């Protein structure tokens, strides 16, 4: 299938080509035709699957054909980074359409956002908090909105945005086209779909909550006191071209960031206590390759699209399998290969058990020469669904030795 099989206006086809998109990803082939018909949609797809273009392409086509004036589409995203990313994708795809977007998020100049609105933005890409601020000040009206996208619904719920989401959805017209995207489909996203969507078509891409098979996953058992030294050793390997290192807390992210810089590793740090300007700079230096390593808390784990991340390192394991899968999904984007490495102390055995149970397999253990490798065997996992483990199981041990 190619994009030309969708009846999109010619300038949009041109922008898609300019983006270098030659054929639709699975989520795009399934979503775009249904969305072009104006039917409501609930889509669950793996992160990095091309879901942003899957909703932006039909949205741009519709607003362009209608010669929309004023705010006509609303994309609701849980984090500023995700909204910014969506804004960038919109700029590329809408280049020849005459449409404009305003990215309305906290932590950045409200004045500029108001100017973008006054300049006639037809598409509002928002985080709920700042949108409500502007609504309360009477700076934005949603009366003409005809398309609503709820992006990463599960994440919006995790972050406690349900009341704000309800408030926004009460304000937009009842007659509208609504699309909801969610990485996972638990009872929370299902309730949103029930409350805000009208007889939605359901599209499910890939396996539910399973990591892409192109990610090789390895556990490095380590004593707590050796973690920093082992991290340095791993990051020093030539095959680690760019890595995101995840820590459990913001304080630990700062600490590890400082430690790496002291050892001459060019490092960016991103977490919720940093200002928006600092977060933007961190992302930029990492994306451009000025920094080879980015230390992050889970705030960066979901939705961020950073191409060419060769390694994800879990300096601390997350407590649950879902966060683990989201974190490691930052590598192996768009079907590329990637490595996920977890430094696991005996104290983290319970979290490892949870993760292995959800994956349905025991992850392979390796050791780094010169480091003690304590026993971190979790209770034997029960197979719940097939995952990409078969590929990694055959690999040799001790590749870092
Ligand atoms: P997303 O899942 O929306 O975060 O998209 C992940 C990445 O895939 C982004 O860098 C997009 O630019 C890229 N992408 C989206 N659609 C396509 C496509 N059809 N072909 C190639 N790359 C794509």
């Amino acid at each position: 299938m190619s994009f030309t099989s969708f009846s999109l206006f010619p300038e949009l086809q041109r922008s898609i080509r300019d983006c270098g998109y030659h054929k639709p990803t699975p989520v795009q082939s399934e979503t775009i035709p249904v969305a072009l018909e104006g039917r409501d949609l609930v889509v669950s797809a793996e992160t990095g699957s091309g879901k942003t273009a899957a909703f932006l392409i039909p949205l741009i086509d519709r607003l362009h054909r209608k010669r929309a004036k004023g705010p006509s589409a609303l994309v609701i995203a849980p984090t500023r980074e995700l909204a910014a990313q969506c804004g960038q994708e919109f700029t590329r795809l809408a280049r020849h359409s005459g449409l404009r977007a305003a990215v309305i998020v906290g932590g950045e100049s409200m004045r500029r956002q108001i100017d973008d609105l006054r300049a006639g933005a037809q598409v509002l890409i928002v985080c709920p908090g700042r949108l409500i601020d502007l609504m309360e000040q009477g700076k934005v009206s949603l009366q003409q909105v005809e398309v609503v996208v709820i992006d990463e619904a599960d994440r919006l719920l995790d972050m406690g945005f349900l009341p704000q989401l309800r408030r926004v959805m009460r304000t937009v017209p009842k007659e509208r086209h609504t699309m909801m995207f969610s990485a996972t489909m638990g009872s929370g996203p299902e309730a949103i779909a029930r409350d805000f969507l009208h007889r939605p078509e359901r599209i499910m891409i890939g396996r539910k909550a399973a990591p892409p098979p192109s990610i090789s996953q390895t556990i490095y058992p380590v004593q707590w006191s050796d973690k920093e030294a082992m991290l340095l050793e791993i990051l020093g390997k030539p095959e680690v071209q760019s890595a995101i290192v995840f820590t459990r807390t913001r304080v630990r992210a700062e600490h590890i960031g400082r430690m790496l810089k002291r050892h001459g590793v060019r490092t960016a740090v991103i977490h919720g206590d940093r200002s928006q300007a600092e977060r933007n700079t961190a992302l930029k230096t990492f994306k451009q390759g000025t920094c080879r390593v980015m230390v992050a808390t889970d705030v960066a784990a979901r939705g961020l699209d950073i191409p060419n991340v060769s390694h994800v390192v879990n300096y601390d394991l997350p407590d649950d399998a879902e966060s683990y899968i989201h974190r490691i999904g930052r590598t192996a984007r768009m079907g590329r290969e990637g490595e996920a490495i977890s430094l696991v102390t005996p104290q983290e055995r319970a979290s490892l058990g949870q993760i292995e149970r959800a994956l349905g397999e025991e992850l392979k253990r390796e050791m780094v020469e010169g480091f003690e490798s304590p026993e971190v065997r979790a209770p034997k996992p029960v197979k719940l669904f097939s995952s990409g483990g078969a590929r990694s199981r055959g690999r040799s041990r001790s590749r870092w030795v």
Side-chain angles (χ1 to χ4, degrees):
M1 182 185 249
S2 94
F3 280 104
T4 49
S5 56
F6 306 129
S7 54
L8 304 169
F9 65 94
E11 293 85 353
L12 180 52
Q13 293 283 13
R14 178 144 68 98
S15 307
I16 294 170
R17 274 198 308 278
D18 291 350
C19 286
Y21 302 168
H22 299 298
K23 64 187 190 68
T25 65
V27 68
Q28 292 164 359
S29 341
E30 300 232 13
T31 302
I32 293 172
V34 182
L36 284 173
E37 286 175 19
R39 277 153 61 200
D40 281 7
L41 270 167
V42 170
V43 184
S44 71
E46 273 176 17
T47 48
S49 57
K51 70 180 165 63
T52 314
F55 62 75
L56 285 180
I57 289 171
L59 183 156
I60 291 168
D61 189 73
R62 175 177 176 139
L63 298 196
H64 174 79
R65 285 177 199 279
K66 292 203 156 178
R67 299 180 199 286
K69 300 223 169 3
S72 307
L74 185 63
V75 178
I76 304 169
T79 63
R80 302 160 189 176
E81 283 79 13
L82 201 60
Q85 231 165 252
C86 181
Q88 286 154 13
E89 183 96 344
F90 177 86
T91 306
R92 287 199 299 266
L93 287 168
R95 185 180 301 151
H96 310 296
S97 70
L99 296 170
R100 305 168 64 112
V103 177
I104 295 178
V105 297
E108 285 184 1
S109 157
M110 197 182 257
R111 172 111 322 268
R112 227 193 29 232
Q113 294 168 7
I114 294 172
D115 288 346
D116 286 344
L117 284 169
R118 289 209 179 114
Q122 297 93 340
V123 179
L124 311 186
I125 302 169
V126 308
C127 288
R130 175 59 66 88
L131 175 67
I132 288 175
D133 283 351
L134 289 181
M135 283 160 58
E136 281 173 351
Q137 293 178 30
K139 304 279 192 221
V140 60
S141 158
L142 304 180
Q143 295 309 312
Q144 282 182 52
V145 166
E146 50 182 280
V147 183
V148 176
V149 178
I150 303 172
D151 194 13
E152 304 229 347
D154 52 352
R155 186 76 175 138
L156 275 164
L157 291 173
D158 286 352
M159 293 176 69
F161 280 132
L162 185 58
Q164 287 91 334
L165 183 65
R166 283 195 186 290
R167 168 100 193 267
V168 172
M169 296 307 281
R170 271 201 306 273
T171 316
V172 291
K174 282 210 162 50
E175 275 293 309
R176 59 169 193 261
H177 178 207
T178 313
M179 296 180 262
M180 181 184 109
F181 290 74
S182 194
T184 54
M185 281 305 300
S187 55
E190 284 296 347
I192 294 185
R194 207 174 43 241
D195 290 354
F196 304 129
L197 280 81
H198 178 64
R199 299 173 56 174
E201 179 88 7
R202 287 173 179 274
I203 293 175
M204 191 171 283
I205 303 291
R207 289 154 309 185
K208 214 171 158 185
S214 49
I215 303 178
S216 157
Q217 303 171 61
T218 312
I219 301 296
Y220 285 82
V222 60
Q223 293 294 4
W224 184 260
S225 53
D226 285 342
K227 263 196 176 182
E228 291 187 6
M230 188 183 269
L231 178 67
L232 277 168
E233 183 77 17
I234 287 172
L235 294 179
K237 299 287 167 185
E239 54 270 50
V240 183
Q241 287 154 7
S242 66
I244 303 183
V245 176
F246 282 103
T247 63
R248 188 186 289 273
T249 65
R250 298 164 183 190
V251 172
R252 282 170 72 70
E254 284 291 336
H255 173 78
I256 296 304
R258 278 197 301 273
M259 186 279 289
L260 291 174
K261 283 180 200 159
R262 263 202 318 277
H263 285 84
V265 182
R266 280 174 288 126
T267 306
V269 178
I270 184 167
H271 58 68
D273 276 349
R274 292 227 155 180
S275 71
Q276 191 56 35
E278 288 172 321
R279 284 157 70 168
N280 290 347
T281 307
L283 264 181
K284 198 161 141 205
T285 54
F286 185 61
K287 277 188 175 176
Q288 288 173 341
T290 318
C291 288
R292 199 168 60 85
V293 174
M294 183 164 80
V295 182
T297 54
D298 282 289
V299 81
R302 293 209 191 194
L304 279 193
D305 177 41
I306 306 169
N308 307 324
V309 176
S310 69
H311 288 70
V312 165
V313 181
N314 287 310
Y315 185 78
D316 300 315
L317 268 190
D319 289 329
D320 61 288
E322 205 179 308
S323 304
Y324 173 84
I325 290 166
H326 278 291
R327 283 184 182 186
I328 72 171
R330 298 311 92 211
T331 183
R333 306 285 282 175
M334 297 301 294
R336 293 194 192 101
E337 302 256 305
E339 300 257 341
I341 287 171
S342 301
L343 308 190
V344 184
T345 63
Q347 293 82 354
E348 291 170 295
R349 193 184 287 128
S351 303
L352 179 63
Q354 275 223 19
I355 292 164
E356 290 189 327
R357 266 194 302 284
L359 295 175
E361 66 171 316
E362 197 172 339
L363 298 173
K364 68 178 183 294
R365 269 58 168 174
E366 290 190 4
M367 53 187 290
V368 182
E369 200 173 61
F371 288 87
E372 189 192 334
S373 182
E375 179 75 17
V376 289
R377 211 145 293 285
K380 209 162 180 50
V382 182
K383 193 116 189 141
L384 297 178
F385 53 75
S386 79
S387 80
R391 189 182 154 280
S392 51
R393 250 178 255 129
R395 289 211 176 181
S396 64
R397 288 176 62 87
S398 306
R399 273 177 305 121
W400 300 110
V401 176

